[in-house]
Amino acid sequence: MKTGKVVLVGAGPGDPGLITVKGLNAIKQADVILYDRLANPKLLEFAEPDCEFIYCGKLPERHTLRQEKINELLVEKALEGKTVIRLKGGDPGVFGRVGEEAAALAHYKIPFEIVPGISSGIAAPLYAGIPVTHREHAESFAVVTAHDKSENGKPLLDWEGLARGVDTIAFYMGVGNLPYICENLIHHGKSASTPVILIHWGTFGRQKTLQGTLANIAERAIAEKFSNPSIILVGDVISLREKISWFEQKPLYGRQILLARTGDSVSELAQELMNQGADVIEFPKWKRTVLSIDVTNVASYDHILFTSPESVTEFFTALFEQGSDIRTIRASLYGASSKSVRALNKQGLMANLAEEMPATGKRLIVGDDGIVTQDNADKLYTSKKELDQQFIPIFKRMLEEADVNTMIFPSSASVAQFVEGLRECGIDATELLANLQVVSMGKQTMAAVADAGLPLSGMPPKATKEALISYLAGRALGGE
């Protein structure tokens, strides 16, 4: 069997948009992905449906996989002839142990590449409004590990060189050693009034910052219960933050959103919410199998409703392959969501939202095998959809790491599927949503939420991305 190859990829600091083009292309070609805790799990959705995921997450005093086992797995999977991606948070060469992994691969003569990533020590400060260098404030910059392999975990560093010779210092994962860091910098010549900022989950919508000085930041961190993953930034350049803070000014900054999902394609709504500063967790993640369908009698219907953009594509692909002329369809067309309506528009067809479909006339509902039954409506299943089991433990970890405060149902069809997906995870929907702001896109969606016995908070005036963002931006978290 031909030996495969390994690509050691830097996933960037958290915002999935910060991965490199080369890194993303590697993910798309992977047979196996071994990924770390700090690599955003949303990047896994770009992999092929049959890609194998192996979690290698590390927490203080609790490693899912030891480094030696990770090295063994990289070798083992490559020797099976597979393309293996090692997905590491930030840059793999900055405290990412890439040297150890590459050495193991080289020992077995396994081909490998290393794809750099954006390091959190640079990216997190920028998302907090702080460039690590500035010609008036900082001409030097250092990245420093805040824990090492010493017996007590305290870093053995050239403290005098750091204190006297470096303008800006970024300590990685050092909240537990913060008092030790501050004491040593002051003792070796750094002024006690030197600004310090802690940046927690930098570049995520859940990003939090805590500012102080070398004299008081450790006490403040304890009072605020600040924890890792955090970057500790030390230096006068922090003073620029008041003028150029940008990420925390976004309209949805602080929103940690759970978005009910009906399709398996990239969500435009999720992307726009993230563009506006929110964290977004999408659930459920689906696997779709296209079915063979007969569309010869569609001309007999007065109204046709498509439940998803995928069903539009599958329907019109079948129509073309069976030699049917689109002009034979006399029905009025409808989409269960604005995204489905846009998919019909791209076919050159006019369409309206489902809530505008009359209750009279012969009706056809087109979608996957999860279509909810409606009276006097025929159903056409274009695909079979099932929960992607690989993403269930990933979803649970994402929920644990986040502090979700907002729930969005984009369509009526998303409600039942979301509840059922949670049930398969062993999670009760009512309990999960009890203290969240639950937002429905449209009257039919709100009715479906009410019928499911879930909490209701409100809905935007229109079922569009723009209206939703305006609605969320104008509502205080936890309020109506």
Side-chain angles (χ1 to χ4, degrees):
M1 179 184 293
K2 183 180 178 181
T3 301
K5 71 172 184 178
V6 177
V7 187
L8 306 157
V9 176
D15 181 339
L18 294 180
I19 192 170
T20 64
V21 173
K22 190 168 186 177
L24 189 60
N25 286 337
I27 291 171
K28 293 177 180 178
Q29 298 167 15
D31 298 312
V32 184
I33 299 178
L34 287 80
Y35 67 102
D36 281 346
R37 177 193 176 208
L38 298 182
N40 194 323
K42 292 184 76 65
L43 293 171
L44 301 177
E45 297 194 12
F46 292 95
E48 290 293 323
D50 57 351
C51 182
E52 178 186 3
F53 301 144
I54 301 175
Y55 182 56
C56 307
K58 296 182 179 72
L59 285 165
E61 309 302 326
R62 179 159 56 92
H63 291 197
T64 301
L65 289 178
R66 289 284 176 183
Q67 187 61 52
E68 295 77 12
K69 180 61 177 178
I70 294 171
N71 296 350
E72 290 174 11
L73 279 170
L74 291 173
V75 171
E76 175 188 321
K77 296 295 182 179
L79 290 176
E80 292 174 3
K82 295 177 179 178
T83 298
V84 184
I85 305 303
R86 177 72 173 101
L87 195 61
K88 307 168 79 69
D91 179 275
V94 180
F95 310 125
R97 298 190 180 181
V98 73
E100 299 171 43
E101 294 173 356
L105 297 169
H107 177 77
Y108 287 92
K109 296 181 170 55
I110 294 170
F112 68 89
E113 297 179 27
I114 302 175
V115 180
I118 298 174
S119 179
S120 57
I122 297 171
L126 281 175
Y127 269 56
I130 306 163
V132 294
T133 64
H134 189 284
R135 61 182 181 174
E136 295 179 7
H137 300 276
E139 294 182 342
S140 57
F141 167 61
V143 294
V144 183
T145 181
H147 59 275
D148 59 19
K149 297 175 72 174
S150 60
E151 187 174 331
N152 60 8
K154 301 276 194 298
L156 302 174
L157 303 170
D158 178 5
W159 289 106
E160 186 171 356
L162 285 173
R164 297 184 182 275
V166 182
D167 295 321
T168 308
I169 313 169
F171 291 93
Y172 284 56
M173 305 293 280
V175 174
N177 283 332
L178 187 56
Y180 177 78
I181 291 168
C182 294
E183 288 167 10
N184 274 278
L185 288 175
I186 293 171
H187 178 73
H188 288 89
K190 210 80 167 169
S191 170
S193 62
T194 303
V196 182
I197 190 168
L198 309 186
I199 308 165
H200 181 59
W201 284 115
T203 79
F204 284 85
R206 73 191 79 154
Q207 173 179 302
K208 292 181 181 178
T209 55
L210 182 66
Q211 198 163 337
T213 65
L214 285 175
N216 63 24
I217 191 66
E219 184 179 343
R220 289 188 178 186
I222 293 171
E224 295 293 330
K225 298 181 179 179
F226 233 75
S227 63
N228 288 319
S230 293
I231 289 291
I232 303 167
L233 198 72
V234 181
D236 291 334
V237 75
I238 292 169
S239 62
L240 294 173
R241 169 175 159 80
E242 294 180 11
K243 295 181 181 178
I244 63 174
S245 176
W246 63 276
F247 181 63
E248 294 168 19
Q249 309 307 315
K250 290 199 168 203
L252 299 187
Y253 170 73
R255 287 278 180 180
Q256 296 187 53
I257 296 172
L258 186 53
L259 176 63
R261 182 177 193 160
T262 56
D264 58 346
S265 59
V266 175
S267 168
E268 295 177 8
L269 177 58
Q271 186 58 57
E272 186 57 31
L273 291 168
M274 288 189 290
N275 289 344
Q276 299 300 323
D279 264 354
V280 181
I281 300 174
E282 297 178 77
F283 182 80
K285 175 69 169 65
W286 300 102
K287 293 179 72 172
R288 181 182 297 271
T289 304
V290 177
L291 303 174
S292 177
I293 60 174
D294 182 3
V295 294
T296 54
N297 68 338
V298 295
S300 64
Y301 290 94
D302 301 305
H303 311 289
I304 302 178
L305 168 64
F306 294 86
T307 61
S308 68
E310 292 84 0
S311 66
V312 174
T313 301
E314 291 155 2
F315 177 87
F316 285 100
T317 298
L319 199 70
F320 177 78
E321 290 176 347
Q322 294 176 27
S324 298
D325 193 326
I326 194 172
R327 290 170 294 185
T328 62
I329 299 177
R330 62 180 181 83
S332 300
L333 304 180
Y334 303 87
S337 65
S338 56
K339 192 173 180 181
S340 300
V341 170
R342 287 196 299 275
L344 287 163
N345 296 158
K346 288 178 181 178
Q347 298 284 343
L349 301 167
M350 299 298 294
N352 295 308
L353 287 168
E355 57 197 50
E356 300 178 42
M357 187 170 72
T360 58
K362 189 175 181 182
R363 298 180 296 162
L364 176 68
I365 303 175
V366 180
D368 58 61
D369 59 345
I371 292 174
V372 178
T373 302
Q374 291 192 13
D375 294 337
N376 303 318
D378 295 333
K379 296 181 290 294
L380 178 64
Y381 300 132
T382 58
S383 59
K384 179 182 179 181
K385 192 168 69 174
E386 58 185 338
L387 203 62
D388 192 330
Q389 296 295 323
Q390 275 206 108
F391 278 87
I392 289 180
I394 294 171
F395 169 67
K396 287 182 175 180
R397 279 195 298 273
M398 292 174 80
L399 276 185
E400 289 173 4
E401 304 252 299
D403 185 14
V404 175
N405 48 44
T406 308
M407 175 74 220
I408 297 175
F409 289 103
S411 66
S412 57
S414 70
V415 179
Q417 294 180 30
F418 177 81
V419 172
E420 178 57 32
L422 285 183
R423 191 174 293 118
E424 288 201 36
C425 294
I427 299 173
D428 180 81
T430 304
E431 291 181 9
L432 178 65
L433 305 186
N435 298 313
L436 307 189
Q437 191 173 42
V438 181
V439 180
S440 307
M441 297 280 280
K443 294 178 181 178
Q444 283 197 341
T445 304
M446 181 172 274
V449 172
D451 289 344
L454 302 177
L456 286 169
S457 299
M459 67 178 188
K462 293 182 180 179
T464 64
K465 294 195 298 287
E466 296 76 15
L468 175 64
I469 290 166
S470 178
Y471 177 85
L472 292 175
R475 294 293 192 279
L477 288 172
E480 168 54 27

